[in-house]
Amino acid sequence: MTEADRTRERLIETYRRKAAHYDVTSRLSPVPGYPQHGQRLLAVRALGLHAGATVVDLACGTGLNFALLERAIGPRGRIVGVDLTDAMLARAERRVEAAGWSNVRLVQADAAGFDFPTGVDAVLSTYALTQVPDRGLVIAHAAAALGPGGRLAVLDLKIPSVTPRWLSRLGVAVVGVGSSASLDEWIARRPWEEIRMAARSSLAETSWAELCFGTAFLVSGRVRG
Ligand SMILES: C[S@@+](CC[C@H](N)C(=O)[O-])C[C@H]1O[C@@H](n2cnc3c(N)ncnc32)[C@H](O)[C@@H]1O
């Protein structure tokens, strides 16, 4: 088993445990009152969606972005929600059924190996990609799947550049990246920088914004051509 396989297994186990309470606990993450909904709204706006658009939500979890996406694309649009963890997708399915959306397809897959459908107008990923080992590859594949003018937006947490190390550790421990070792690795690796670079090399007109005192970032861009 490779290191990437082990990380994948650990993530699945973690999110199987979290799935049942994810919608409630995520509202308290990274701290109660954190403007997660406002950040999601910014990410969806960055996609420039139109009625009838097809959007892929990578690592969609329980589908917390779906209502915002539905509002933007309407019933003629299409959402494809992709996630690694069966239990998170089961929650997403319940959300879709409860809302009566008939234009959502849920796929259990690793974002890095996902076979994108044709005609994708936009790809979104929120609060997930910094945990995915192959994040650069995920962005390259997503960009390749987008048609001309298609847009990608990635929103996730980061460590503010000027934060003392002890405060970073405390903050990320609250977020729950995982074990102490993976937390150290997350901080040391600065995965948000890798994501920024990957977006810059695969997309045109990228924009990078630090949100909430540098505790989150939104990177977005448009496909060349
Ligand atoms: C913190 S949750 C975020 C869920 C959702 N995007 C949101 O904004 O609420 C992280 C999600 O990423 C998923 N995930 C982790 N690694 C993944 C991968 N390699 N491919 C697809 N999904 C992955 C987990 O199963 C989990 O549902």
Side-chain angles (χ1 to χ4, degrees), residues 8-136:
R8 204 175 296 114
E9 291 301 311
R10 183 175 51 76
L11 278 167
I12 292 173
E13 279 315 310
T14 302
Y15 284 103
R16 276 188 182 146
R17 279 197 308 274
K18 289 186 173 187
H21 307 292
Y22 180 81
D23 290 357
V24 176
T25 52
S26 80
R27 269 191 245 136
L28 311 171
S29 172
V31 288
Y34 192 75
Q36 206 189 98
H37 184 75
Q39 293 181 355
R40 290 181 191 277
L41 205 57
L42 285 177
V44 171
R45 278 199 196 129
L47 296 175
L49 293 168
H50 55 83
T54 293
V55 53
V56 175
D57 187 346
L58 282 180
C60 66
T62 62
L64 285 175
N65 296 321
F66 291 175
L68 293 174
L69 294 173
E70 284 286 342
R71 208 181 301 159
I73 64 172
R76 286 188 303 109
R78 231 170 18 124
I79 297 174
V80 182
V82 180
D83 202 280
L84 196 57
T85 310
D86 45 6
M88 294 293 271
L89 285 173
R91 292 275 152 180
E93 196 164 358
R94 278 166 61 161
R95 181 186 307 283
V96 169
E97 276 168 15
W101 297 317
S102 55
N103 57 349
V104 182
R105 183 161 71 90
L106 298 172
V107 181
Q108 186 178 4
D110 186 331
F114 177 59
D115 194 9
F116 282 84
T118 51
V120 175
D121 299 298
V123 177
L124 174 67
S125 186
T126 60
Y127 305 116
L129 274 199
T130 60
Q131 297 172 44
V132 175
D134 300 319
R135 48 201 156 249

